[in-house]
Amino acid sequence: MSRIEAARAILAANDRGGYTVPTDRLYPFQWNWDSAFVAMGWATFDLDRAWREVERLLEGQWDDGLIPQIVFHAPSEDYFPGPEVWGVPRRTPPTSGIPQPPVLATAARFVLERHGEAGAERARAIYPRLVLNHLWWQRARDPDGTGLVATLHPWETGMDNSPAWDDALERVPTETRTEIRRRDTGHVDAAFRPRGIEYQRFIHLVDLFREAGWDATRMLQLSPFKVADVGTNAILLRAERDLLALAERFGTSQEREAIAKRISRKETVIAGLWDEPLGHYLTRDLIGGSLIPVRTSAGFLPLFAGLQDHAAELAERLDAWQRRGVSLVPSTDPDAESFEPQRYWRGPVWAVVNWMIACGLRETGHAVTADTVASETRRLIGDAGFSEYFNPIDRAGIGGETFSWTAAIDLLLGEEKRR
């Protein structure tokens, strides 16, 4: 079986009827940003199935515009916390109650550009849902119009146990009303996963928000964890640009004007997340007010959002790590005390983040470094398989196996290489 065939076979094996689970058992439901990347992977060989991935994710969208982190299309005992812990009322299908990084408009534009006029009607049908989702981010997470959206739970960032959250998580109590019955460590080694105390704080926040009735205003007021995540904000800025491109075809002049205004504001405030002493884009603690002095892979994502001012400095850091033999891109600065090369988002390489970083480098004029990141990613996958993530020191595949978004990214990178 060729590499392309192997990647396609993983998507087919993880297909559960129009939506793709990240991998069997470990993640048995539909995850928001996973499905956006997976839709782009499907688009390399099955455009109808790519649109279906997006449409099935939108089955979980709330009336207020939220596209939740998880859509529970079918029951499973293999994952905690399930829908009964989230306790979101009157939802069919059941969902979690928090978002994930908003990649969906980017995915929709990507699929449409592949499909051309043949995909116009499907894009037109989902366009209002994307507009509503971006308005949700504005209303629910930036009601004061600062230009930076708030993150209220580490799971919302997709980078659950990043060292960037350590200090902010200290404000979150460890007591929970929900009995914690982790399933993840029954599927993979606990050394690869978040620690128990982190899970206690994660579930405390779920309990808090559930008791607040998942009311966006109350959640924003009550959460002891509140940051302006540089990764989420950069991805949202990129998504706004892609939404504007869709609006040029399907939207009104008022929608285009509103999106353009948000883009302009976000460009300014995300630029303000640059920290000169560390030479990196950082997350801002919205309770303490200061930038969080931890360099992570999320700090390269403003390049994906189109910010160019510090592209050369960021490219040079990646080149320097690569010259030292560090596989790109570690999720945490390999020189940091908090760096753990095999523990989830505290060090390992993630193919989806690499793809975004490579896109950003190429679009900001650093094609050589972009090619290095892309080739490093393909080499990791070629050597270690379609793993969930990879150790940047010994290059081992870690976490779940036969992972959907890793297969999707390999298809995208392989296609780019052949051009």
Side-chain angles (χ1 to χ4, degrees):
M1 182 183 293
S2 72
R3 184 163 175 170
I4 293 173
E5 290 170 333
R8 291 176 177 179
I10 286 172
L11 296 187
N14 290 336
D15 186 348
R16 295 295 181 270
Y19 70 93
T20 310
V21 300
T23 191
D24 190 41
R25 299 197 66 193
L26 180 61
Y27 300 109
F29 307 112
Q30 186 177 25
W31 261 259
N32 181 333
W33 74 326
D34 290 70
S35 275
F37 292 111
V38 165
M40 290 188 272
W42 279 111
T44 64
F45 67 102
D46 188 339
L47 286 159
D48 178 74
R49 182 59 185 76
W51 286 120
R52 192 68 186 126
E53 188 76 30
V54 173
E55 291 160 355
R56 293 234 56 190
L57 180 62
L58 288 171
E59 290 176 14
Q61 186 174 27
W62 293 15
D63 292 343
D64 66 359
L66 169 68
I67 301 175
Q69 161 219 21
I70 308 172
V71 183
F72 301 103
H73 289 288
S76 174
E77 293 298 319
D78 283 321
Y79 179 82
F80 172 87
E84 70 288 347
V85 175
W86 292 94
V88 174
R90 300 181 298 280
R91 294 298 316 167
T92 304
T95 72
S96 64
I98 57 176
Q100 271 193 318
V103 188
L104 200 59
T106 299
R109 181 185 182 186
F110 181 95
V111 178
L112 176 62
E113 289 181 348
R114 292 305 183 88
H115 210 174
E117 281 306 310
E121 287 310 305
R122 294 179 88 164
R124 188 186 306 278
I126 67 169
Y127 166 76
R129 310 283 292 278
L130 299 173
V131 171
L132 183 62
N133 178 241
H134 285 222
L135 290 174
W136 178 88
W137 281 99
Q138 182 180 16
R139 290 191 303 257
R141 295 305 177 83
D142 185 23
D144 295 330
T146 67
L148 290 175
V149 297
T151 286
L152 306 183
H153 194 299
W155 285 342
E156 297 181 357
T157 70
M159 303 182 180
D160 305 6
N161 67 330
S162 169
W165 317 143
D166 288 356
D167 287 348
L169 270 177
E170 287 289 334
R171 294 192 295 259
V172 180
T174 57
E175 298 80 14
T176 68
R177 295 183 181 276
T178 299
E179 178 187 357
I180 296 175
R181 296 174 286 107
R182 291 181 68 172
R183 299 285 191 264
D184 57 326
T185 51
H187 300 304
V188 298
D189 192 325
F192 304 155
R193 301 290 298 174
R195 292 180 168 87
I197 193 169
E198 292 165 332
Y199 250 83
Q200 290 173 253
R201 292 184 163 119
F202 296 161
I203 298 303
H204 177 94
L205 290 170
V206 173
D207 289 345
L208 179 69
F209 300 153
R210 185 184 63 242
E211 290 164 11
W214 300 106
D215 178 83
T217 300
R218 293 188 66 199
M219 290 168 65
L220 196 60
Q221 292 169 343
L222 293 172
S223 183
F225 181 92
K226 191 184 307 181
V227 301
D229 169 38
V230 63
T232 298
N233 277 280
I235 289 169
L236 179 56
L237 174 52
R238 173 59 178 253
E240 294 276 36
R241 297 189 196 280
D242 292 321
L243 184 65
L244 183 58
L246 295 173
E248 295 292 342
R249 292 194 62 179
F250 308 119
T252 66
S253 59
Q254 291 87 348
E255 286 168 346
R256 291 190 289 271
E257 182 180 347
I259 297 166
K261 185 176 179 180
R262 294 199 301 267
I263 289 171
S264 178
R265 179 63 177 149
K266 290 179 188 304
E267 287 174 340
T268 300
V269 293
I270 294 176
L273 297 178
W274 177 260
D275 181 73
E276 196 61 45
L278 285 180
H280 209 65
Y281 288 99
L282 304 178
T283 289
R284 186 175 299 284
D285 184 344
L286 292 177
I287 293 178
S290 60
L291 293 174
I292 297 171
V294 181
R295 290 195 296 215
T296 71
S297 57
F300 294 96
L301 293 180
L303 302 179
F304 183 62
L307 301 190
Q308 302 188 34
D309 287 351
H310 301 288
E313 189 168 350
L314 293 172
E316 172 52 33
R317 177 168 300 112
L318 293 171
D319 292 339
W321 286 346
Q322 198 263 344
R323 289 193 296 268
R324 285 169 45 189
V326 176
S327 292
L328 301 178
V329 176
S331 48
T332 297
D333 182 345
D335 295 319
E337 291 184 7
S338 55
F339 175 70
E340 297 181 69
Q342 65 179 12
R343 192 178 290 278
Y344 216 43
W345 289 94
R346 301 184 75 86
V349 175
W350 293 75
V352 292
V353 177
N354 280 14
W355 180 79
M356 291 188 285
I357 292 171
C359 287
L361 287 164
R362 188 166 290 110
E363 292 164 5
T364 55
H366 294 273
V368 173
T369 306
D371 289 343
T372 298
V373 172
S375 62
E376 281 269 290
T377 309
R378 294 207 79 224
R379 182 181 164 202
L380 283 169
I381 297 170
D383 290 348
F386 297 96
S387 298
E388 185 177 2
Y389 42 99
F390 304 87
N391 187 314
I393 305 303
D394 66 14
R395 308 180 63 83
I398 355 175
E401 299 177 347
T402 60
F403 217 80
S404 293
W405 71 5
T406 307
I409 294 303
D410 200 51
L411 289 169
L412 294 173
L413 291 175
E415 187 176 77
E416 291 167 6
K417 184 177 176 61
R418 291 189 297 273
R419 286 177 183 168

